[in-house]
Every structure is written in C-alpha cells, then in structure tokens.
Amino acid sequence: MVTGVLPGAAQTTTAPTTTTTATTASTTASTTTTTAPTTTAPPTTTTAPPTTATTAAPTTARPTTAAPTTATTAPSTTTATTAPGSTTPTTSATSGATNQAERDRLQAAESAKARQVDAANARLDDLSDALAVLKADVASQTAEVEIANRRLTDALARAEAAEQDVVALEAQVRELEYGLSDQAIRSFKGEIVEGAVLAVGTDPNQAIRMQAMLAKATQSDIDYANVLSNVKEDLEIRRAAADEAVAIADQSRAESQAELAELEDDRLAQGQLAAAAEQRLDHLLSERAALARLGADEEAGLDVDVENELVAQLASAPAPPPSSSTPAAATTSNSDIRVAGNGIEVHVSIVDDVRRLLADAAADGVELAGGGYRDSAGQIATRRNNCGTSNYAIYEMPSSRCRPPTARPGRSMHEQGKAIDFTYNGSIIRSRSGPAWNWLRANAEKYGLYNLPSEPWHWSTNGR
C-alpha cells in the first residue's frame, strides 16, 4: 500500500536535509557531518527494518511505531513463554469454561433423572430430591427469562432510537435538498452573485460590504452541499445501525421466547411431578389409617422426617388451581360392597375373584386375610376439620397443604373397594419373600389384582 511506503520516504528525505544544512555551515563540517550521519545511520538502519514490519502491518502510520512492533513481537513470544502470568488467565478462563460446562452437564443429567422419577414407587427421599431439583430448575430458568426479557427491552429501545435517528436524518436531508434547490433557483435568477466582485465606485466600504455579502452567499451554497453530503453519509450509517439493531432485537425476541418456552416446560414438569407426589402422599396417608386397623400402622412406609421433607417440598410447589369439574369424591356406596371372607370387604365387581383367590391360596397352604373397603365418610369429616369446608378444600386441595397433612377423599383404591392389604398368619406382608408373597406374586394376576411395588402388602385392580 502507498501508506506503507510513505513513512520510509519521509525519513529518507529528512536525512539529506540534515546533510545539506551541515554543508551550508562549512565544507569541512559538511564532511564531518556526512560522516556523523553514517555513524548515526544505524538508527536509520534500525528504523529501516520497520519497512518490512510496516509491510507486515500496513496499519502502522510511522516507522518509529513499526520498530517497536518488531521489537514487541519478539518479546511477546518470550513473554508468552516466560511469563506465566500472561497464560494463566487464558488457562483459568478455559478451566472456568470447562467447569461450567461440567456443571451444566451434571445439572441437565439431574433434571432428566428428576423428570423420570416414578412417584408411585420411588423412595420418599428420592421423590423429595427430584422435587427439589425441578424447583431449582424453575427458579434458575425464571432468572434466565428475566435476563432475556431485559436484553429484549434494551434491544427494542436501541432499535427504536436508531429508527428515530433515521427518521430525523431523513427529514434533515429533505430540508437540505429543498434549501439547496431553492438556492439554485435564486442563483439562476441572479439573486446570488457568484465569482469575484470588484469594488463598486470609489467607496471602499461599499466594496467590503459587497464582498462580505458574496462570501456569505457563496459560503451558504458550499455549506448546503457539504452538509447534505455529510448528512447523507451519516444517514446510510444510521440506517445500517438501525438494521443491525432491529436484527439484534429480533434475535433477542427469539431468545426470550425460547427461554420462556423452556421455563414453561420446567413448570409443567414440576407440576406433573408434584401432582404425582401428592397422589403418593394421599395414598400413604390413607394407607396409614388402613394399616392402623390391622395393627400395622408402622408399616405405612412413612418415616416422620422423610414425610416432613416431602410435605415441605410439596408445600413450596405451586398449588394447582381449583378444578371446574365435579369434586373427586368416592362414588362407592355401602350397597356396592360385599364380604369376600377373612375380614376382607370389596366392591361387588371383584368379590367373586377375591373369594376364589382366598380359597385357592388356602388350598395351597397359604391362609390370607386382610382389609379391603374403607368408607370415605370419615375421611371427608377429617378433611373438613384439617383443610377447610369448601369443595376445593375437601376434595381437591393438596394433602400437603392441610394441617396436619390429610389425604384427599376418594383418591384411595380402598375407598372404591378395589384394593386389599393382605396379612399372613395375622401379620401384614412386610417383605417380598416368604410363602404369602411368593404365592401372590405367582397367582394374584390371575384374579385381577396387581401389587404396588413400594408396598408388598398392597394389591389392587390397577396396582395403585
């Protein structure tokens, strides 16, 4: 580039100028001076290499600047090698990015695992942990949405300001074009004098005034043209800036919508797990009452501390809105309940199957008994006392929000007469081993009963 050569040429010109000055002083001094520049030439030689450096970096304006560029290039390599401080930030930044990526990966894995938890059969502490993970996801994503919304607001404001600048400049261009056109017309009519003006008459003051008027008129023309050109250039720049600002705003809007969609997905996952966990809590609280009748309430699977943690997690989750549907009350009446034998009462639709099951098990040497149907009237009365008197409070409000937590009526298969808690030799079936468990595992399905995996004693028509 020409700019890469000019600095060197300027310096070459400067050196002879010095020599010429010395020669003017004296011929002898000229010789000495000529020798002296030879001695001082190394700096010039030192400066000359920057010409090469200038070629490598054409943006350098001066040779003296180019020299340090060469000098700096070498030390910069040395510094990068010998000064750990210069590489440490890069290493730290890389390490930080790696650590953040690992944290993001682990968080994503935890979130995916939490979404896959089987609320009906998971351990209660695992269920509580999953709820906590999804709660954290919602909180974190809520913050991301807020950040994205702020970015969008800022981007929209910048885009609007840029577009307003464009509108203002367009108006200015129109005004300038009108002014320039008007001056052209006036000039054509002779209202504006162009060219040199000679003195009129012998009055020098009149000549000065005429010259000033001409200068003003001529300068006005020049200003209009130059200003118009500058404004048009500025307008193009502002239009490009406005287009960029609009593009950024569109991108910010898309990012905001994506973050909001992710938040809605997180909230949906949280709500679904919370609803399933509430059903699990309903069952456990209801089962506790059923097992108490069988003298085995300690087998309800509710450790107090674990139960309290689950209740706390559910209480911090958003409560579902009241449903417009009919309250989920138990629809089974006493007239639909039949005695199957051995203390077990069930719905009329399954009584024959349960009677055959008991008989066949006894024939194989396994005497089964237990408890089945449980009237929901007592549960409704308890809900009124612990939860409230509205239909929502009695039938729909999450059990975790009652004080104390109380199962919702109509949610237990016992209240429908379609679940049985089996006992063997007078004791609840506590483990997945032994004669009673083995017989039921091998045969219960033939009679239409399925086990709830988290409770060896609990069998129902749907496994819940």
Side-chain angles (χ1 to χ4, degrees):
M1 293 176 60
V2 176
T3 53
V5 179
L6 285 177
Q11 185 161 0
T12 303
T13 304
T14 303
T17 302
T18 305
T19 304
T20 303
T21 304
T23 305
T24 304
S26 80
T27 306
T28 306
S30 166
T31 305
T32 306
T33 305
T34 304
T35 306
T38 303
T39 306
T40 57
T44 306
T45 306
T46 305
T47 308
T51 304
T52 305
T54 305
T55 304
T59 54
T60 304
R62 296 178 297 172
T64 52
T65 304
T69 301
T70 306
T72 304
T73 302
S76 63
T77 305
T78 307
T79 303
T81 305
T82 60
S86 62
T87 57
T88 300
T90 303
T91 304
S92 300
T94 303
S95 176
T98 302
N99 291 339
Q100 183 60 46
E102 180 64 13
R103 285 193 294 271
D104 291 342
R105 186 188 68 79
L106 292 176
Q107 183 177 358
E110 288 181 355
S111 298
K113 182 179 178 181
R115 292 169 185 243
Q116 296 172 356
V117 166
D118 179 6
N121 299 305
R123 289 163 37 117
L124 293 188
D125 51 356
D126 290 340
L127 184 53
S128 295
D129 290 344
L131 287 168
V133 168
L134 294 184
K135 177 184 176 182
D137 285 349
V138 169
S140 175
Q141 192 57 32
T142 298
E144 291 296 330
V145 168
E146 292 175 352
I147 292 173
N149 286 340
R150 286 197 295 270
R151 287 174 179 166
L152 175 58
T153 300
D154 292 343
L156 290 174
R158 286 194 296 270
E160 182 179 0
E163 290 175 341
Q164 289 176 351
D165 285 346
V166 168
V167 171
L169 286 173
E170 287 174 342
Q172 190 174 351
V173 165
R174 288 193 297 271
E175 291 177 1
L176 289 170
E177 288 176 338
Y178 175 79
L180 189 60
S181 174
D182 181 64
Q183 283 190 340
I185 293 172
R186 289 191 293 112
S187 176
F188 179 78
K189 291 180 178 180
E191 296 178 9
I192 297 177
V193 181
E194 297 180 348
V197 176
L198 299 176
V200 179
T202 59
D203 186 354
N205 292 329
Q206 183 180 6
I208 293 172
R209 287 196 298 273
M210 290 295 294
Q211 189 68 39
M213 291 173 62
L214 173 62
K216 182 178 180 181
T218 305
Q219 184 62 41
S220 180
D221 280 341
I222 294 172
D223 284 348
Y224 264 111
N226 288 341
V227 171
L228 179 59
S229 176
N230 291 337
V231 171
K232 283 184 175 180
E233 289 179 5
D234 194 18
L235 176 58
E236 291 306 312
I237 294 172
R238 295 301 178 89
R239 280 174 175 165
D243 290 342
E244 182 180 1
V246 170
I248 292 174
D250 289 341
Q251 181 180 355
S252 297
R253 182 182 291 104
E255 291 173 353
S256 178
Q257 291 172 346
E259 296 290 0
L260 181 59
E262 187 172 344
L263 174 59
E264 290 173 349
D265 183 63
D266 288 343
R267 284 174 174 168
L268 177 61
Q270 181 190 33
Q272 290 174 338
L273 184 60
E278 286 288 355
Q279 292 179 359
R280 173 72 179 278
L281 185 60
D282 277 338
H283 171 80
L284 293 175
L285 293 172
S286 179
E287 196 70 1
R288 173 182 287 172
L291 292 176
R293 296 180 182 180
L294 299 175
D297 52 307
E298 73 280 359
E299 300 298 335
L302 282 176
D303 178 87
V304 175
D305 292 336
V306 177
E307 176 188 353
N308 289 339
E309 175 60 25
L310 177 60
V311 170
Q313 288 295 339
L314 288 171
S316 65
S323 173
S324 57
S325 61
T326 303
T331 57
T332 302
S333 66
N334 289 333
S335 62
D336 294 324
I337 300 302
R338 300 289 186 273
V339 175
N342 298 345
I344 299 173
E345 295 180 330
V346 294
H347 192 269
V348 63
S349 63
I350 66 170
V351 66
D352 290 338
D353 289 333
V354 175
R355 286 170 179 169
R356 286 190 302 107
L357 180 150
L358 293 174
D360 293 345
D364 291 338
V366 179
E367 291 290 341
L368 296 174
Y373 172 71
R374 184 167 63 254
D375 191 351
S376 61
Q379 193 66 21
I380 291 173
T382 303
R383 286 280 294 192
R384 282 198 180 99
N385 184 61
N386 296 342
C387 309
T389 58
S390 68
N391 278 346
Y392 172 75
I394 295 171
Y395 297 106
E396 294 188 52
M397 191 167 77
S399 57
S400 61
R401 299 180 187 274
C402 299
R403 293 295 178 269
T406 307
R408 290 171 288 187
R411 305 299 178 105
S412 169
M413 294 300 291
H414 285 289
E415 293 173 80
Q416 300 177 37
K418 297 180 180 179
I420 302 170
D421 291 331
F422 282 108
T423 62
Y424 175 64
N425 290 338
S427 298
I428 199 77
I429 299 175
R430 292 178 170 84
S431 65
R432 299 179 183 280
S433 62
W437 166 258
N438 291 337
W439 192 92
L440 286 168
R441 182 183 62 179
N443 300 285
E445 188 173 343
K446 295 185 293 185
Y447 306 95
L449 294 179
Y450 304 87
N451 178 244
L452 177 65
S454 59
E455 299 173 358
W457 60 85
H458 184 86
W459 298 75
S460 67
T461 56
N462 61 4
R464 295 196 294 271

